[in-house]
């Protein structure tokens, strides 16, 4: 029996790619998961499968991508650069598609499967839908046969479309909406999207073809709102449609109410003006499956939210900064300073016992102290175009590298014997880069403070070191640090004490604050794949 082909999944840590990879593995396929960050790939639960290969490559780096596709037979292209850090996503998507196409030809791929968007037959397209259509045409301009699946709104726990719907209906009993709420669309459940993506591998008739994929219902956005309210057991929402709402006003409103920032909301809302309905249903005969209704898809998504079982989230695709971006090695006169506020707290418990309390930080748990101050900071961030605290977290008790946590992103999360670390970088609007780190280590007997020395003879004593680091950007960043520094004592000291109280631990009298003088950052060693070198966690002196 011939071995199954090697499948490349480009965009393996994104919303769709992160769910497709484990399904391919369970079907017995060999998979090469390709993403911009190896450490994000390694943090996924499927990364240890004997059938998986993890490859770091950025599709904008043409040479690296040529190497990444060598030896592969079929590739899924699930890349989309529409993100807050990409100002011109259309040209970025075009360049990425051209690089992938050229690399695929050099690698000798047999097939490409691309997930695009419905609506490209409309004479007036939004930038988002136009870009999706253009990427498909770029990929088809090749001797490699390309299967294009065109989908409208994808409904699933953690999808951007579902999150917009959820927050609008949850938070607004009365809504004044633009006319696009009456435009027809044909949503599809994420389970059916994945079913078609995998089905294309087993159905050779789909090679080189273009298919529209949609669910069993054709509804308006207003009808979707009504269905969501019923499934979420909410009172009937009053929806008033008026003609004066432009896409930009709608996007601003979505930015204020939902976790989706305005840079993403604008292209998404522009696309809602275009009817997105399947023009052909040929794929239903080639790849038969039970199509989930919109009502059931919403019900399944809500069930996943209630149980915390969200496999992937729209915010998973956020880019992890490189070491050079986090710790720029510029001289003092160019703003290359680092401010550090470090506090320590001793707790009569093991790191393993303290860790569950630390790992629940943010989301519905909050920050253990001064949550009203964090909410105020969130409001300010939203007003300046940031995401605020509304992204929450994918799972209430689990974090992995690359996860969004409110307005932070997880850079490192490690639980080892006698030592743990949580390392976050801020994605709020700031005149610089902000990081927050928690290191938990077991103290040797000679380092145990006097209040615990008697108890340390029979019980372990651990130290939590909480480090707030800020890399200012010019004078505004320096002024910002000194402006907020007085609040750090109350907020960060209270957070440490709150961790001890929430865990029911005995603690030392108070944290020991240390505000270090500004310094020039030292270069961070890189591994061969250009990721941050992993360092052992040692007790801080």
């Amino acid at each position: 029996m011939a071995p199954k082909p090697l499948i490349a999944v480009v965009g393996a840590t994104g919303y769709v790619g992160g769910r497709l990879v484990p399904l391919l593995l369970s079907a017995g396929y060999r998979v090469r998961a390709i993403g911009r960050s190896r450490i994000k790939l390694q943090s996924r639960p499927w990364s240890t499968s004997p059938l998986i290969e993890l490859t770091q490559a950025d599709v904008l780096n043409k040479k690296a991508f040529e190497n990444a596709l060598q030896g592969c037979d079929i590739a899924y292209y699930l890349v989309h650069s529409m993100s807050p850090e990409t100002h011109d996503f259309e040209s970025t998507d075009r360049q990425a598609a051209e690089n992938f196409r050229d690399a695929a030809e050099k690698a000798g791929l047999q097939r490409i499967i691309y997930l695009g968007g419905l609506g490209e037959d409309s004479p007036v397209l939004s930038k988002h839908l136009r870009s999706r259509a253009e990427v498909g045409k770029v990929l088809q301009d090749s001797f490699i046969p390309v299967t294009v699946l065109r989908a409208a709104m994808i409904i699933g726990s953690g999808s951007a479309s579902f999150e917009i719907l959820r927050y609008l209906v949850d938070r607004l009993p009365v809504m004044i909406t633009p006319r696009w709420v009456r435009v027809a669309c044909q949503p599809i459940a994420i389970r059916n999207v994945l079913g078609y993506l995998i089905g294309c591998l087993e159905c050779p008739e789909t090679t080189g073809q273009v298919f529209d994929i949609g669910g069993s219902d054709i509804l308006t956005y207003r009808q979707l709102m009504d269905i969501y309210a019923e499934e979420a057991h909410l009172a009937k929402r009053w929806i008033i449609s008026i003609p004066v709402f432009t896409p930009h006003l709608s996007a601003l409103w979505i930015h204020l109410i939902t976790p989706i920032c305005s840079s993403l909301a604008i292209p998404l809302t522009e696309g809602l003006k275009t009817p997105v309905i399947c023009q052909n249903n040929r794929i239903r005969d080639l790849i038969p499956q039970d199509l989930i209704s919109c009502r059931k898809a919403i019900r399944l998504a809500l069930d996943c939210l209630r149980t915390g079982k969200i496999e992937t989230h729209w915010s998973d695709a956020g880019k992890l900064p490189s070491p050079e971006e986090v710790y720029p090695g510029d001289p003092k006169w160019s703003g290359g300073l680092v401010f550090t506020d470090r506090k320590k707290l001793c707790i009569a418990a093991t790191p393993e016992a303290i860790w569950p309390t630390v790992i629940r930080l943010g989301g519905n748990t909050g920050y253990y102290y001064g949550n009203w101050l964090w909410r105020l900071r969130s409001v300010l961030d939203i007003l300046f175009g940031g995401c605020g605290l509304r992204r929450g977290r994918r799972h209430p008790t689990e974090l992995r590298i690359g996860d969004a946590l409110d307005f932070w992103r997880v850079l490192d999360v490690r639980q080892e014997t006698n030592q743990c670390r949580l390392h976050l970088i801020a994605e709020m609007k700031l005149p610089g880069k902000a990081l927050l780190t928690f290191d938990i280590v077991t103290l040797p007997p000679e380092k145990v403070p006097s209040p615990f020395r008697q108890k340390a003879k029979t019980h372990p004593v651990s130290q939590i070191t909480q480090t707030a680091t800020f890399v200012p950007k010019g004078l505004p960043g320096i002024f910002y640090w000194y402006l907020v520094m007085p609040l750090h004592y109350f907020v960060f000291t209270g957070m440490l004490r709150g961790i001890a109280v929430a865990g029911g631990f005995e603690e030392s009298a108070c944290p020991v604050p240390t505000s270090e003088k500004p310094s020039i950052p030292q270069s961070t060693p890189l591994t061969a794949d250009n990721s941050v070198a992993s360092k052992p966690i040692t007790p801080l002196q």
Side-chain angles (χ1 to χ4, degrees), residues 321 326-327 338-344 355 357-363 366-369 371 374 377 389 393 399 403 405-414 420-428 430 432-440 464-471 481 487-496 499 514 540:
V326 176
Y327 297 109
V338 173
F339 293 99
T340 302
D341 187 307
R342 180 172 288 123
K343 293 176 172 60
K344 305 175 184 179
W355 182 244
T357 306
V358 174
I359 206 69
R360 288 198 300 268
L361 190 74
Y367 290 82
Y368 298 114
Y369 178 83
N371 283 326
W374 289 99
R377 183 64 183 86
L389 297 174
R393 43 185 295 160
L399 286 177
D403 273 2
L405 194 165
D406 296 333
F407 43 37
W408 307 91
R409 190 166 296 277
V410 180
L411 284 181
D412 193 10
V413 55
R414 277 184 278 165
C420 303
R421 167 169 289 178
L422 175 61
H423 191 31
L424 309 173
I425 185 168
E427 292 188 337
M428 62 189 83
L430 287 170
K433 296 284 185 181
L435 300 102
L436 184 62
T437 307
F438 295 88
D439 288 311
I440 314 173
I464 304 181
T465 301
Q466 177 196 74
T467 306
T469 306
F470 186 68
V471 184
W481 173 261
L487 294 174
H488 285 182
Y489 177 81
F490 300 101
V491 173
F492 290 137
T493 299
M495 188 191 302
L496 270 183
I499 289 172
T514 305
L540 296 171

Side-chain angles (χ1 to χ4, degrees), residues 47-121:
S47 63
T48 56
S49 168
L51 296 175
I52 196 80
E53 298 178 19
L54 306 180
T55 302
Q56 176 177 303
D58 190 332
V59 75
L60 295 177
N61 185 334
K62 190 172 183 179
K63 183 62 178 177
F65 220 79
E66 289 176 1
N67 296 331
L69 291 178
Q70 290 298 322
C72 294
D73 302 297
I74 302 171
Y76 286 95
Y77 189 73
L78 305 172
V79 172
H80 194 1
S81 63
M82 193 173 72
S83 63
E85 62 265 17
T86 305
H87 300 292
D88 185 2
F89 69 85
E90 287 184 281
S91 62
T92 303
D93 272 342
R94 186 186 313 113
Q95 184 62 57
E98 290 172 353
N99 288 350
F100 172 78
R101 177 198 62 201
D102 296 343
E105 289 178 345
K106 284 194 175 183
L109 288 186
Q110 300 170 15
R111 283 185 69 188
I112 295 172
I113 302 172
Y114 166 62
L115 178 61
L118 265 174
E120 64 181 62
D121 298 324

Side-chain angles (χ1 to χ4, degrees), residues 346-350 441-444 448-449 452 455-456 459-463:
C346 290
I347 292 179
T350 63
V441 296
T442 302
L443 289 177
V448 174
F452 288 117
K455 191 161 190 170
H459 294 82
V461 175
S462 300
Q463 177 178 273

Side-chain angles (χ1 to χ4, degrees), residues 15 21 26 40 87-88 92 145 155 211 283 310 353 398 457 471 504 509:
Y15 178 73
V21 169
S26 63
K40 278 184 72 173
H87 300 292
D88 185 2
T92 303
I155 299 180
F211 299 100
I283 197 167
I310 303 176
E398 174 190 289
K457 294 179 180 179
V471 184

Side-chain angles (χ1 to χ4, degrees), residues 1-5 7 20 23-30 74 76 111 113 147 149 194-207 211 283 285-288:
M1 181 176 177
K4 288 196 172 184
I7 311 296
L20 177 63
L23 293 179
L24 290 171
L25 294 172
S26 63
Y29 287 100
R30 297 179 297 136
I74 302 171
Y76 286 95
R111 283 185 69 188
I113 302 172
T147 301
L149 302 182
L194 296 170
Y196 283 132
L197 286 170
I198 293 181
C200 286
L201 293 177
E202 305 291 346
C203 182
E205 291 84 357
T206 61
T207 303
F211 299 100
I283 197 167
D285 297 325
L286 296 174
I287 307 174

